[in-house]
Amino acid sequence: MADGRLSITVLGSGTSVGVPTIGCHCAVCASDDPRDKRLRPSVLVRWDGHAVLIDTTPDFRQQALTAGIERLDAVLITHAHADHIMGLDDVRPLNFRMSGPLRVYGSAETIGTIRQTFRYIFDTGPTESSVPKIETCIFDGQRPIRVGGLDFEPVRLAHGHGTVHGFRFGSAAYLTDHSGIPPESMEKLRNLDVLFLDALRHRPHPTHSTVEHSLHTVEELKPRRAFFTHICHDLAHQATEAALPANVRLAWDGLVIDVDSPRPAGFRVLRTLEEVPSDFGPCALTIGNFDGVHAAHRSIMRRVATIARERGWRAAALTFDPHPALVVAPEKAPRLLTGIERRCELMHEAGLDEVLVLPFTPEVARLSPEQFIREVVTERLGARAVLVGHNFRFGRGASGDTAALHELGQCYGFEVEICPAVRCRGHVVGSTQIRKLIGRGDVTNAWRMLERPFALEGMVVPGEGVGSRQTVPTLNLSEQTGLVPLGGVYVTRTFDLDDGRRWPSVTNVGFRPTFGGERLTIETFLLSPLDGPTPARIRVEFLYRLREERKFESAEALKMQIFRDVKRAERFLRRTAEML
Ligand SMILES: [Zn+2]
Ligand SMILES: [Zn+2]
Ligand SMILES: [Zn+2]
């Protein structure tokens, strides 16, 4: 699905015990209609090569085999009732096919119950059996969960006395188990193309919506189409549908629904040339590695967006992954300022609609400047204007320059705009310059050139525990593959990437010489209370370097120094509060 469309596959449409129900001989349980065979409730959402699963039911293995699931970008859990989570262990074969752990999103309550129910998965002790590799992420309902450029917005629902979540994504929403929808959630469900909702049966139930109740919801929200799910053996497929309005149907296992306008935000990332749809252009395009997406990159991207809006084109960027230097001369390749996912996010923020991340293969490296422009830029992307920086190079051995681009523009009929260098306090802004600044700890000047603080992201990993016992509580950042600031102590800000919490902080980059450490560690000490569970994933923004890392005579001396660091950090943060 490279056309920006989104599809929803119903993996299960049945209630908690499934239909047929064990030991039951009613007409529906005995029915030959395949649509009366209902596994436990779950859907698979797919778009642009991405896949998100909602709930891992006890039938997950069978559902994954039927739907041909080979990899998942994430799992969203509506709530921790057994019929929605018990298949979690069966994600193990997906782990073998994926590089990192599988992300599982849920509310704090849901994740808490999952961690209890599947304690063996999260035990850190040694084990001889294979357990799923899972990273749990808590959402707070304030911010959407962004996966593959698509936002999933949690929608709070009442399920008896409990609170559970449905999800809205693009113009679709999936609301399984619920008995009521609070008014603020109703507001999140306007203008839907497709609405899936719980309709257990006709008779009232304390924790589930009924056919009649869900028909009321449909009347109020007026989605273009509605599908009932979480159905028990009271409802025969054919007979029930016959009595429903034409735009309301019963879901059935295997049903695939294509959704209109999957992305109201209008941002898309394409990962291969083949994914580029034939009607991609016309576009205004910028080309580059864009490491850091710094002030000069952003000024080009804003100009691309302006031209595109004026002429009714798409605003697009073509970038490369891995960084060409890693392919051409890996031993000389720099450590990067931003990973590819963060780069795409920042390009979106800079106003672009489309990013093509071209895998930088030896084949791509061999394209001549003329071939690259003809085959990729004009034929595939339909560029009508190409905007690049003054030092732009392209094609085999970087043999094409801006003069060559001008010539090719005349030949293939696109405008060329060479954007002037951007200066910051007398220095030309560039990725190499920013890497140098960060490499010597000058994160404040890097911040100016980036137009935002330099940041590291990653999972929170258990520290050696020395910090929490001997000095102050800290969050340890997982190992980094990109650029890390010069060792030392920094004023930072820390963000929970999953629920929007943020804290002023002080971060130590270094080897913890006082405790005889040898591995590089990045430890962040929060200056305000955690106020909730320990975050799973954080971003640490580096604002100012306080001092170098030093070895202290005793833990007590270190503690005193940290106390002084904190005072200075608080002064710095007060002074710069407005800038932030
Ligand atoms: Zn259920
Ligand atoms: Zn039955
Ligand atoms: Zn439930």
Side-chain angles (χ1 to χ4, degrees):
M1 255 179 307
D3 55 358
R5 290 194 65 79
L6 178 145
S7 81
I8 302 170
T9 304
V10 176
L11 302 180
S13 57
T15 188
S16 59
V17 291
V19 181
T21 303
I22 295 173
C24 183
H25 304 284
C26 76
V28 175
C29 286
S31 158
D32 290 333
D33 188 337
R35 296 168 305 178
D36 284 329
K37 310 231 175 289
R38 301 171 183 134
L39 297 177
R40 265 60 71 86
S42 166
V43 292
L44 177 68
V45 183
R46 291 195 252 216
W47 73 100
D48 294 352
H50 296 284
V52 163
L53 176 74
I54 304 185
D55 291 336
T56 49
T57 80
D59 301 315
F60 172 65
R61 175 177 171 276
Q62 190 181 343
Q63 292 169 327
L65 289 170
T66 307
I69 297 175
E70 295 185 8
R71 54 174 300 284
L72 289 171
D73 292 270
V75 175
L76 312 184
I77 304 286
T78 59
H79 65 306
H81 281 166
D83 53 326
H84 297 261
I85 65 168
M86 290 315 276
L88 188 60
D89 190 87
D90 281 325
V91 306
R92 279 181 293 132
L94 302 178
N95 284 146
F96 307 151
R97 312 179 64 90
M98 296 165 56
S99 52
L102 178 63
R103 280 189 189 162
V104 175
Y105 289 86
S107 66
E109 187 190 353
T110 298
I111 294 297
T113 309
I114 286 179
R115 283 181 161 269
Q116 257 174 20
T117 309
F118 296 93
R119 226 172 72 195
Y120 67 95
I121 296 181
F122 304 98
D123 271 350
T124 45
T127 170
E128 287 186 326
S129 57
S130 95
V131 299
K133 283 209 275 299
I134 283 170
E135 180 189 340
T136 54
C137 308
I138 292 172
F139 60 72
D140 66 351
Q142 302 299 311
R143 287 196 328 166
I145 303 153
R146 174 162 291 179
V147 185
L150 183 64
D151 284 345
F152 289 80
E153 186 163 9
V155 179
R156 272 164 51 95
L157 303 168
H159 184 25
H161 295 300
T163 294
V164 304
H165 288 84
F167 299 97
R168 179 182 181 143
F169 37 100
S171 57
Y174 178 75
L175 318 178
T176 178
D177 312 34
H178 67 276
S179 45
I181 308 178
E184 71 275 12
S185 295
M186 289 294 275
E187 288 318 304
K188 294 182 174 180
L189 298 167
R190 305 281 172 198
N191 301 316
L192 287 172
D193 177 28
V194 178
L195 172 62
F196 281 86
L197 70 173
D198 181 4
L200 183 74
R201 62 188 192 194
H202 293 293
R203 291 176 293 135
H205 188 280
T207 63
H208 285 277
S209 182
T210 59
V211 170
E212 288 62 33
H213 185 256
S214 285
L215 281 172
H216 275 295
T217 306
V218 170
E219 251 170 60
E220 207 177 326
L221 291 174
K222 298 189 174 48
R224 198 163 73 82
R225 297 172 285 170
F227 295 89
F228 290 168
T229 189
H230 212 293
I231 307 163
C232 83
H233 63 171
D234 285 13
L235 304 183
H237 189 91
Q238 204 177 1
T240 309
E241 273 203 340
L244 293 174
N247 67 330
V248 181
R249 303 284 87 186
L250 292 191
W252 45 273
D253 297 15
L255 173 69
V256 180
I257 300 294
D258 279 328
V259 181
D260 284 346
S261 60
R263 204 136 341 147
F267 179 68
R268 173 167 62 170
V269 179
L270 301 163
R271 309 273 168 175
T272 63
L273 265 190
E274 290 66 42
E275 270 186 41
V276 179
S278 55
D279 61 352
F280 181 88
C283 69
L285 178 75
T286 180
I287 308 167
N289 296 314
F290 304 123
D291 185 29
V293 194
H294 53 59
H297 296 146
R298 291 154 72 92
S299 116
I300 300 174
M301 287 167 192
R302 282 193 291 267
R303 178 84 188 121
V304 167
T306 305
I307 293 178
R309 304 271 177 285
E310 282 169 7
R311 324 246 179 117
W313 300 342
R314 307 288 290 161
L318 169 56
T319 190
F320 305 94
D321 187 54
H323 193 288
L326 281 165
V327 176
V328 177
E331 67 291 346
K332 281 192 250 164
R335 282 202 156 215
L336 299 181
L337 297 163
T338 40
I340 187 62
E341 297 307 321
R342 181 73 180 137
R343 256 196 282 159
C344 290
E345 269 176 36
L346 291 166
M347 289 193 260
H348 182 199
E349 283 172 28
L352 299 183
D353 307 313
E354 308 267 2
V355 174
L356 169 58
V357 181
L358 191 61
F360 195 81
T361 57
E363 291 71 47
V364 171
R366 275 197 294 274
L367 292 175
S368 73
E370 197 271 343
Q371 275 176 315
F372 173 75
I373 292 297
R374 177 166 44 83
E375 290 175 18
V376 180
V377 172
T378 61
E379 285 177 3
R380 275 289 177 168
L381 300 176
R384 299 281 182 82
V386 175
L387 293 86
V388 294
H390 63 286
N391 53 358
F392 178 65
R393 292 283 184 285
F394 65 108
R396 185 170 45 226
S399 54
D401 58 9
T402 53
L405 184 66
H406 270 294
E407 266 173 45
L408 289 163
Q410 291 196 332
C411 178
Y412 291 105
F414 57 85
E415 295 164 41
V416 172
E417 219 177 282
I418 309 300
C419 302
V422 171
R423 287 177 178 273
C424 175
R425 300 197 162 185
H427 295 281
V428 172
V429 175
S431 304
T432 310
Q433 177 65 20
I434 297 171
R435 286 188 208 111
K436 275 188 199 150
L437 290 172
I438 291 166
R440 57 172 190 255
D442 188 353
V443 293
T444 310
N445 274 313
W447 174 5
R448 293 193 176 98
M449 289 199 172
L450 287 166
E451 292 184 339
R452 64 165 195 287
F454 173 72
L456 298 178
E457 291 183 8
M459 289 172 66
V460 173
V461 294
E464 266 113 82
V466 182
S468 44
R469 271 206 317 278
Q470 302 201 0
T471 51
V472 287
T474 53
L475 298 179
N476 288 264
L477 203 52
S478 58
E479 203 172 310
Q480 297 290 310
T481 50
L483 186 67
V484 171
L486 176 68
V489 178
Y490 294 84
V491 182
T492 54
R493 280 202 309 173
T494 300
F495 296 77
D496 184 330
L497 285 176
D498 296 304
D499 71 2
R501 285 180 297 168
R502 61 167 73 176
W503 306 268
S505 50
V506 169
T507 298
N508 186 80
V509 176
F511 297 91
R512 304 167 50 86
T514 302
F515 302 109
E518 278 172 9
R519 250 174 349 104
L520 178 77
T521 57
I522 300 158
E523 287 184 312
T524 292
F525 165 47
L526 305 184
L527 303 186
S528 62
L530 195 54
D531 209 13
T534 302
R537 298 183 308 137
I538 54 173
R539 171 183 301 145
V540 179
E541 287 184 350
F542 289 79
L543 309 177
Y544 178 75
R545 187 165 196 264
L546 285 168
R547 61 175 174 85
E548 61 184 10
E549 191 183 37
R550 274 207 312 274
K551 190 170 162 72
F552 290 89
E553 292 309 307
S554 62
E556 193 54 31
L558 171 61
K559 198 170 172 178
M560 290 311 294
Q561 181 59 49
I562 289 176
F563 183 74
R564 285 192 291 274
D565 293 341
V566 167
K567 289 287 155 230
R568 284 179 67 201
E570 283 171 344
R571 271 202 304 278
F572 176 88
L573 288 163
R574 267 198 304 277
R575 273 204 321 272
T576 51
E578 248 168 54
M579 274 168 77
L580 290 159

